[in-house]
Amino acid sequence: MDIAQKLSRPENKPISCIEMHTCGEPTRIVIDGYPNVTGTLLEQRTQALQTHDHIRKRLMLEPRGHYDMYGAVLRPDTELTQLGQAHMGVLFMTNNDYSTMCGHATIALGRFLLDTHDLNTFPRRNDIIWDRESLIADLNIHAPCGLLRLRVPVSPDGRASDPSKPVSFVSVPSFATGLQVPISIGHPWPQLEQKDVPEASVLVDFAYGGAFYAIVDASSLGFMGHLQDVDMQELSKATERLLLSIREQPKLTSYYQHPEEPDLSFLYGVIVTDSVLREGSPVSSAELGVCFFADQQVDRSPTGSGVAAREALAYCKGERGTGSTWSYHSLVSNRDLAPPFVGTIESAGGSPKQVKTAPVHVRVSGQAFYSGFSTFSVEQEDPLGDTGFVFTKLALG
């Protein structure tokens, strides 16, 4: 038996993936080999975590992945696809969990779902409607947080996506839950200790864009230089302690409670912002940010769900109104290695007196590209087939 035959045997559970990136942030799209899960999409998420988490570890962690790998599992059968509201469902995978929303992966999925014509992979591919004049296709994706409405630029015959133009999506209703909330820090990090602040506290905003974020500017954390020049390891330690401090204080849980769905009520990460880009001065209608999410995973992209949360926050603060457009840079796009994400407030609910509690509908746009394809197998004798590991944590015991 040759190697190819051995690795294709059923007991080795081959899993096929399409590899893409959005602003440098990877998306490993599972197109075949993932075990079936049933029920509503949130129930599928729970079932995947409880029953098939070894698959996530296999694909995300070493030796087949890495600490900052990100994945998406296609789910053709959900309650919204059955109702005809969505063309496809999806589960998102991180280094420690199944997240509820992901903008960069949504942008990548928009291109892939337009490009594939395999009805086994995408049964509703022929239901996609595209406009011959604008060359835009409308595509709806059911994420665990809700329905995402995409616009995907297409080729003149409508059979493929146009990689030269950005994909955009309108996210689920986004909203702010707390403005400038003082957070007591039990164990300050060195940069914060150097600041003249009472009882080591940090002012943090909280907002939801399909997932809940604590949003804070770099200087509030004690990093007085520009974000592009900050030591990322030190910043990671600071945000990790900030998250721990928030989660240890029960009174703060109200800032990441979803009004309708308990499964969405958790704090996903911290976004550190800076109005200064690489030229060393503020730039109109643009800002820089670094997102630490899941288990201190660092997003290479500007974070699509984070863009929705930050736009909602700006609206609630009265800094921006409907129709305003803002560019969101990551450290990658800030070096001209990829285009930034663009956020636009399309509409907001409520009356003018309810601005601080209004749900905001944000369109996020960005560009994704293919980077390859892969098939992952496991030999029966391989002890790392269903566990994986994080190399940097092996010395922690």
Side-chain angles (χ1 to χ4, degrees):
M1 179 183 297
D2 63 23
I3 294 176
Q5 287 178 315
K6 180 179 181 180
L7 294 182
S8 64
R9 289 170 61 178
E11 63 266 26
N12 292 326
K13 307 172 187 176
I15 298 177
S16 298
C17 306
I18 298 294
E19 309 286 346
M20 300 186 72
H21 79 87
T22 312
C23 197
E25 178 71 3
T27 302
R28 177 164 286 169
I29 304 172
V30 179
I31 60 172
D32 186 49
Y34 191 91
N36 190 40
V37 287
T38 59
T40 67
L41 189 58
L42 283 174
E43 290 171 346
Q44 292 182 37
R45 176 175 174 264
T46 299
Q47 189 179 141
L49 181 61
Q50 294 177 347
T51 309
H52 305 303
D53 201 41
H54 62 288
I55 303 294
R56 178 191 62 80
K57 293 176 181 178
R58 182 192 306 173
L59 295 174
M60 296 296 99
L61 303 182
E62 298 181 61
R64 296 165 184 83
H66 58 80
Y67 193 65
D68 294 307
M69 178 55 71
Y70 199 94
V73 182
L74 300 179
R75 301 304 311 146
D77 191 17
T78 77
E79 65 271 32
L80 295 189
T81 62
Q82 292 171 3
L83 291 172
Q85 296 179 18
H87 296 95
M88 176 63 76
V90 62
L91 295 177
F92 299 119
M93 298 187 292
T94 72
N95 63 10
N96 80 332
D97 207 341
Y98 289 82
S99 56
T100 58
M101 174 55 190
C102 180
H104 90 270
T106 296
I107 291 168
L109 285 167
R111 283 202 63 201
F112 169 72
L113 291 174
L114 255 295
D115 291 338
T116 185
H117 291 268
D118 183 348
L119 298 183
N120 291 318
T121 299
F122 186 13
R124 296 171 178 82
R125 171 61 180 87
N126 295 334
D127 295 339
I128 294 177
I129 298 174
W130 63 284
D131 184 82
R132 295 181 180 275
E133 293 186 6
S134 65
L135 294 182
I136 295 291
D138 293 321
L139 169 66
N140 293 340
I141 293 178
H142 183 192
C145 63
L147 189 65
L148 311 174
R149 302 181 184 277
L150 285 72
R151 291 178 181 169
V152 184
V154 296
S155 59
D157 62 3
R159 291 186 54 81
S161 64
D162 182 349
S164 69
K165 298 176 181 178
V167 173
S168 71
F169 67 92
V170 175
S171 190
V172 295
S174 304
F175 48 87
T177 57
L179 306 181
Q180 294 295 279
V181 179
I183 308 297
S184 299
I185 307 298
H187 302 284
W189 47 90
Q191 293 80 5
L192 188 61
E193 289 178 328
Q194 296 169 10
K195 286 191 66 178
D196 184 19
V197 294
E199 300 179 357
S201 65
V202 175
L203 294 177
V204 173
D205 295 319
F206 292 88
Y208 175 83
F212 283 99
Y213 293 97
I215 302 171
V216 59
D217 65 86
S219 61
S220 294
L221 296 176
F223 293 86
M224 305 313 293
H226 302 317
L227 185 55
Q228 62 199 1
D229 302 319
V230 168
D231 184 322
M232 283 296 111
Q233 290 186 337
E234 291 298 310
L235 189 62
S236 178
K237 293 177 183 178
T239 58
E240 188 172 23
R241 290 192 188 181
L242 174 61
L243 270 175
L244 182 62
S245 295
I246 294 171
R247 289 168 176 162
E248 286 180 338
Q249 301 178 55
K251 65 179 181 180
L252 299 176
T253 58
S254 62
Y255 294 112
Y256 48 94
Q257 291 294 315
H258 193 273
E260 298 175 357
E261 181 52 65
D263 281 355
L264 303 178
S265 298
F266 63 95
L267 188 58
Y268 186 47
V270 174
I271 299 176
V272 184
T273 62
D274 190 348
S275 62
V276 176
L277 301 186
R278 61 185 176 276
E279 291 83 5
S281 60
V283 175
S284 176
S285 302
E287 62 186 57
L288 177 62
V290 177
C291 178
F292 296 86
F293 66 97
D295 187 13
Q296 289 303 104
Q297 197 164 338
V298 183
D299 199 336
R300 275 66 173 163
S301 82
T303 309
S305 56
V307 168
R310 288 155 75 182
E311 284 280 275
L313 182 64
Y315 180 84
C316 291
K317 286 184 173 182
E319 297 173 352
R320 281 169 232 161
T322 57
S324 66
T325 295
W326 215 260
S327 294
Y328 290 86
H329 282 272
S330 68
L331 292 177
V332 174
S333 66
N334 195 43
R335 297 295 184 185
D336 285 336
L337 297 175
F341 286 2
V342 175
T344 304
I345 300 174
E346 292 215 333
S347 64
S351 68
K353 294 181 179 180
Q354 298 173 310
V355 166
K356 290 187 177 181
T357 58
V360 179
H361 299 272
V362 180
R363 181 173 294 279
V364 181
S365 66
Q367 289 182 266
F369 301 93
Y370 292 96
S371 53
F373 57 91
S374 53
T375 299
F376 296 96
S377 299
V378 174
E379 289 189 280
Q380 288 181 311
E381 301 83 358
D382 184 359
L384 292 175
D386 282 337
T387 57
F389 64 92
V390 176
F391 185 78
T392 56
K393 292 192 173 185
L394 293 181
L396 298 180

